[in-house]
Structure formats: structure tokens, C-alpha cells
Amino acid sequence: MDLIFEFLTTLKNTVVDVLPILSIILGFQLLVIRKPIPHIKQVGFGFIYVLIGLALFLLGLEKALFPLGKMMAAQLTAPEFIHAGEQVLTTIHWTDYKWVYVFAAAIGFSTTIAEPSLIAVAIKAEEVSGGAINANSLRIAVAIGVAVGIALGSYRIVVGHPIHYYIIAGYVVVVIQTFYCPKLIMPLAYDSGGVTTSTVTVPLVAALGLGLASTIPGRSPLIDGFGLIAFASLFPIIAVMAYAQLTEARAHRAEQKEEKRNQIKQDKQNKRNLNQKQQDSLKESIEDK
Amino acid sequence: MTNQIFVFLKALLGSCKDLLPIILVIAFFQFAVLQQPMPNVGDILVGLALVVLGLTFFIYGLEMGLFPIGESMAQAFAKKGSISWLLTFAFCLGFGTTVAEPSLIAVAKEAAIVAASGGIIADTLESQLSYANGLRFTVAFAVGFAIVMGVLRILRGWPIQYLILGGYVVVVLMTMIAPNWIIGIAYDSGGVTTSTITVPLVTALGVGLASAIKGRNPMIDGFGLIAFASLTPMIFVMIYGMVIS
């Protein structure tokens, strides 16, 4: 009974969140476009499904994943776990936090795979590209980017470097990659930075950043706790471009291989023809005799 | 009917697969690294079932409702041929979906607390509220501006890389002159603006526009709207920080 009540509350909140979008769409459809929405019934049901789905999704996250993930982030960053054997805390070494980096990468990867807005963009990309871009490969590439980004962001909080060095260095990499990236995937790569950080990833990542910044001496949770999200939206761009470059390079190599194989085939064929001709002429000369 | 159930079950299985990595990661860290038993197993199982069901419904509704409406509106605007209405719609969509975004409200509130404790603004509830609201409207305006720019790009066929890289240059330059305390918040505000419902809608809008306009490739010109929406808030928030201080 409690569960149903909670679900209804979440559903109400979701509807309130969606209300501005809905009123903009309806307003423009009715006042500016002034045509009925095509397949109105199907679209209406689709909207209702999206709302129900989102509410169930959020409720489930609140019930199962968020408390557990946040607790783990707190436990992994707690001084008792990091400095278990030591009595007196003297210095902080960045290698003490190795499990934090592993956790950051793993949780970044896995939450990105489950991120609904990324699923949406990946489905659309596969559809538009006619299957040339595989939705699952794209999601895995983005997830790897987020994993690297969040692990690196955690390292930054531990060592206390200023954030903009990392972000600007990341921009430089993006600029260089842009020159070599296949044109077809570039806009998608830029987009993938923004879609990764929404419903699932942000709360867990924020908990991790906050846990780290509040337990390490000399870090302020309010200043250093921010910033992990920026890492999570920069590195997927690099990862998707790298994925596109790898795919292109592989396709190029396969093409070259194919060409070589054809060349060899052609050579063999030529040789065979030549042999045939020689034999024929030999036969002819024998017959002549 | 049986066919529909089959499709639903298949989608359900897909959602389970999407969720599997999280379950594995949490189980591994709980048992192998932290070496603790799983608390409230019942709650967690119920929660996971809800997440799987929710994801399935969401994806189902996405292809039935959100994608079609985004594309049909894009096509209707393209047919109507009124650029000013299209740009107005683009701005409203960006502004309207961002200003009420819960994660943005949360970040703005937290940023106000930072600013108050750092002595940037007066340490009263009133000034905190006005600061947080200012931040929210700045970000929402930035996203509206971004969608307008993105739509203009699709209409004109401008190559995306110059705009995005140009934006990066502006971000880097602004970082040098913006006050220190705003930088972390500004960088994060780019990531929190794009919600789960906005992303599919905006993507469908871009792809729909690019397919409706002659000479545009939906793959090259259709994507990229979200990229703008996560870039401009950084710039606008840094400007906001400079104006305030």
C-alpha cells in the first residue's frame, strides 16, 4: 500500500516536471501550427507510458540504488577504510584511494549504460544512420568515456589540482580529434557529452564527489565536490570520437586487405591464364608437327 | 495480443541487460571490497524490479510518443516556412524545460550556499534565494539561446565544429577572467541542464528538421542541439558571476 502511495507521489512530481514541456508543445501545436497532431491517440499513449516509466524508474532508483550507492561512496571514502592499518594519519598518498578510482570508473560505466536519455539518442542515431552506427557500441563508447572521466575527476579531488587545467586539456584533445574525426559522427560525439549526465549518474556521482571532498583534509565539499559532472560530460566526447576513428581505421584496413586479396586472386588468375595459353600453344605446336 | 506480450517481454529482457552492470558493480564492491552483507534485500529487489519496469515503459513510450511528436512538429514548422515562429518555439523549448529542471534547482540552491559562505553575497535567506533564482534563469536563458543557435545552424547548414570549438575558446578565455568561485559551478551547470524528457524531444526536433529541409543530412545536421545546450550555460554562468562580483 505504501509503495502505491509512493508511486503516486513520484508520478505527480514527474507530471509537474513535464508540465512546462507539455504546455509549450500543446500551445505551439494549437496556436501556431493549427493542425491536429498526427496519430494523436498513439502519441498520447506514448506520453503516458513515458511518464509512468519515468516515475517507476525514479522510484526504483530511490528505493534500491541510490541509498546503496551513496552508502558505498561514503564507506569507500571513509578514513577508516582508507587508512585501516594506520594509527596516526600523517600524509595522504593518492594510491591510498585506489578502490575509490575503481569504484568511480565502475559506477560511471554502469550507470551510463542504464541512462534513459543516452538510450534514446543511441536508438535515434542507429535509426538515422541506417544501422551504420550500432546503438550498443555507441553506448559502450560513451560509458567508457564517463568511466575514465569520473575516475580522473576523483583523482583530481584527491590530489587537489585546479579543475580548469584538466578541462582545458580535455578541450585541446577534442580540438585535435575534431580534425581527424569522420564528419558523420562529429555532431553525435559532441551531443554525447550532454546526454550522459542525467537521472542515474548525477546523484551517485555527486555523492562520490561529496564523500571524497568532505573526508580529505584541505578539500572543501562545496568547492571540490562540484566538478565531477564536468568530467563526465567532457570525456564521452573524446571516447566517441576515438571510437569513430578506430572504426574508420579498421574499415580502411579491411578495405586494403580486401584489395590485396583481390590483387593476389587476380595475379593467380593471370598466371593460370598464361599457363593455359602456354599449354595451348605447346599443344598447337605439337599438333602442327 | 500474444505478439504484443512477446514484444513487451523482449523489451523487459533488454532493460534487465541494461541494468546488469550496476547490479554487478554494487554486488562486487559490497561483498568483495567492503565485505559487508547486503542491507534490506527485499527493498532492493522491489526497487530493481521497478527500475526495470520503468525503463521498459519509458523506451516503449519514447518511440510511440516523444520521437513522433518532435519530428512531426519539426516537419510542420518546416512546411509552414516561418523561421521566426520556429526560433520562438526553439527558445521556449530550451528555456521552459530548463527553468523547472529539478537538478538545476538543487545545484543553484547549493551554489547559493557556497556564495553566501564565501562572502560573495549577503548571508541572508533572501539574498541566497535571489542569487539561486538568478543562476537558474541565467542557465535557462542560456539553454534557450543554445537551441535557437542550434536550429539556426540546421537551417543554414553551418558546420558544427567551428561553433563548438569557438565556444570552447570562449569558455577558456572566460575562465581566465571569471571569479574563481563561479568556475566549478559554471562547468557543472553544462551537464545538469539536459533532462530525460528534453533530450529525446530535442534530438527528434533536430533530426526532423534536418530531414525536412532539402540538402541537409539528418546525421550531420540533425544532431548537435544538445551539444550547444551543454556549452552555452558555462559561458552565461561565468558572465553572471562576473556581473555579480
Side-chain angles (χ1 to χ4, degrees):
Chain A
M1 212 50 218
D2 261 4
L3 198 65
I4 295 173
F5 181 71
E6 277 177 69
F7 171 70
L8 289 178
T9 317
T10 320
L11 188 63
K12 193 199 88 196
N13 290 342
T14 316
V15 171
V16 170
D17 289 346
V18 172
L19 226 51
I21 310 180
L22 207 63
S23 46
I24 289 167
I25 288 180
L26 284 180
F28 273 88
Q29 189 75 41
L30 294 178
L31 299 176
V32 180
I33 295 177
R34 287 190 200 161
K35 260 182 219 148
I37 300 170
H39 314 291
I40 176 98
K41 213 169 144 193
Q42 183 205 334
V43 169
F45 270 111
F47 250 91
I48 292 170
Y49 281 153
V50 163
L51 288 177
I52 292 176
L54 212 54
L56 282 173
F57 190 72
L58 290 175
L59 183 63
L61 288 178
E62 259 338 306
K63 271 214 128 28
L65 290 174
F66 287 166
L68 203 59
K70 284 176 186 168
M71 200 173 68
M72 284 176 135
Q75 282 175 341
L76 281 169
T77 52
E80 298 86 58
F81 177 78
I82 305 278
H83 309 281
E86 292 166 48
Q87 297 304 316
V88 190
L89 222 152
T90 45
T91 51
I92 288 178
H93 202 259
W94 67 272
T95 49
D96 295 343
Y97 288 85
K98 54 183 182 297
W99 281 117
V100 173
Y101 311 136
V102 177
F103 180 72
I107 208 79
F109 182 89
S110 56
T111 53
T112 306
I113 291 288
E115 197 66 78
S117 41
L118 177 61
I119 296 177
V121 169
I123 289 174
K124 197 89 230 168
E126 182 169 312
E127 189 190 304
V128 171
S129 70
I133 292 165
N134 180 280
N136 284 332
S137 316
L138 179 71
R139 282 166 61 198
I140 290 171
V142 173
I144 290 174
V146 174
V148 172
I150 294 180
L152 197 66
S154 310
Y155 168 77
R156 180 198 77 86
I157 295 178
V158 171
V159 295
H161 292 160
I163 183 171
H164 47 268
Y165 293 165
Y166 286 80
I167 299 294
I168 291 172
Y171 282 168
V172 172
V173 174
V174 171
V175 171
I176 294 170
Q177 275 183 308
T178 297
F179 286 108
Y180 299 101
C181 179
K183 292 279 164 294
L184 212 60
I185 210 162
M186 203 185 303
L188 189 64
Y190 290 144
D191 263 1
S192 62
V195 296
T196 49
T197 45
S198 56
T199 339
V200 204
T201 318
V202 171
L204 284 179
V205 165
L208 185 69
L210 223 60
L212 266 179
S214 55
T215 50
I216 296 175
R219 305 283 174 277
S220 140
L222 291 175
I223 293 174
D224 293 301
F226 284 114
L228 275 183
I229 296 168
F231 277 85
S233 31
L234 177 60
F235 281 79
I237 304 180
I238 297 175
V240 171
M241 284 205 197
Y243 161 71
Q245 283 162 324
L246 277 179
T247 318
E248 202 187 43
R250 210 185 298 150
H252 191 67
R253 211 176 308 144
E255 218 170 74
Q256 276 181 334
K257 230 182 217 168
E258 187 69 23
E259 252 169 44
K260 218 179 224 169
R261 205 176 293 143
N262 285 345
Q263 191 71 42
I264 292 170
K265 234 186 235 166
Q266 196 70 44
D267 284 351
K268 270 187 188 158
Q269 192 69 38
N270 287 347
K271 234 181 223 166
R272 213 174 290 145
N273 287 349
L274 211 66
N275 281 347
Q276 196 68 42
K277 255 185 213 156
Q278 279 176 342
Q279 276 176 0
D280 283 349
S281 58
L282 212 64
K283 252 185 215 160
E284 268 170 33
S285 60
I286 291 170
E287 272 167 19
D288 280 349
K289 274 181 187 172
Chain B
M1 196 61 208
T2 41
N3 193 28
Q4 222 160 7
I5 292 174
F6 181 71
V7 169
F8 185 75
L9 282 180
K10 212 174 145 193
L12 213 57
L13 196 72
S15 304
C16 284
K17 255 196 266 169
D18 292 336
L19 218 62
L20 195 63
I22 300 190
I23 297 170
L24 289 179
V25 166
I26 287 194
F28 172 75
F29 274 87
Q30 191 73 359
F31 295 132
V33 180
L34 293 165
Q35 298 182 342
Q36 270 160 15
M38 203 60 94
N40 330 320
V41 177
D43 255 13
I44 289 175
L45 286 181
V46 172
L48 283 179
L50 291 180
V51 170
V52 167
L53 211 62
L55 202 57
T56 311
F57 266 110
F58 176 80
I59 294 171
Y60 215 65
L62 194 73
E63 301 200 56
M64 263 175 75
L66 281 187
F67 281 159
I69 187 91
E71 288 190 14
S72 81
M73 286 191 89
Q75 267 148 18
F77 273 118
K79 215 179 270 167
K80 201 173 161 62
S82 158
I83 292 181
S84 54
W85 272 122
L86 175 59
L87 294 183
T88 315
F89 175 68
F91 184 82
C92 287
L93 198 65
F95 187 89
T97 55
T98 311
V99 82
E101 174 70 30
S103 57
L104 176 64
I105 295 174
V107 166
K109 212 187 270 168
E110 220 148 309
I113 298 170
V114 189
S117 67
I120 297 15
I121 54 172
D123 200 359
T124 59
L125 219 60
E126 203 177 313
S127 68
Q128 276 188 27
L129 196 70
S130 87
Y131 175 83
N133 278 339
L135 207 60
R136 250 175 71 197
F137 279 99
T138 307
V139 173
F141 182 82
V143 174
F145 176 79
I147 308 285
V148 168
M149 280 292 293
V151 166
L152 260 180
R153 175 189 88 86
I154 295 172
L155 295 179
R156 296 268 179 270
W158 294 330
I160 189 170
Q161 60 269 37
Y162 300 119
L163 291 168
I164 294 283
L165 298 187
Y168 284 169
V169 172
V170 175
V171 169
V172 171
L173 291 179
M174 297 281 297
T175 305
M176 290 173 187
I177 49 172
N180 249 331
W181 48 269
I182 199 85
I183 290 175
I185 299 159
Y187 283 180
D188 264 5
S189 66
V192 296
T193 49
T194 41
S195 80
T196 314
I197 294 191
T198 321
V199 167
L201 259 179
V202 166
T203 305
L205 179 77
V207 169
L209 266 182
S211 2
I213 297 170
K214 233 189 217 159
R216 298 283 173 276
N217 178 332
M219 201 61 216
I220 293 177
D221 301 298
F223 288 93
L225 285 176
I226 296 159
F228 286 108
S230 34
L231 182 65
T232 52
M234 292 197 244
I235 300 171
F236 280 61
V237 168
M238 282 196 262
I239 295 177
Y240 179 68
M242 279 156 62
V243 170
I244 283 250
S245 61

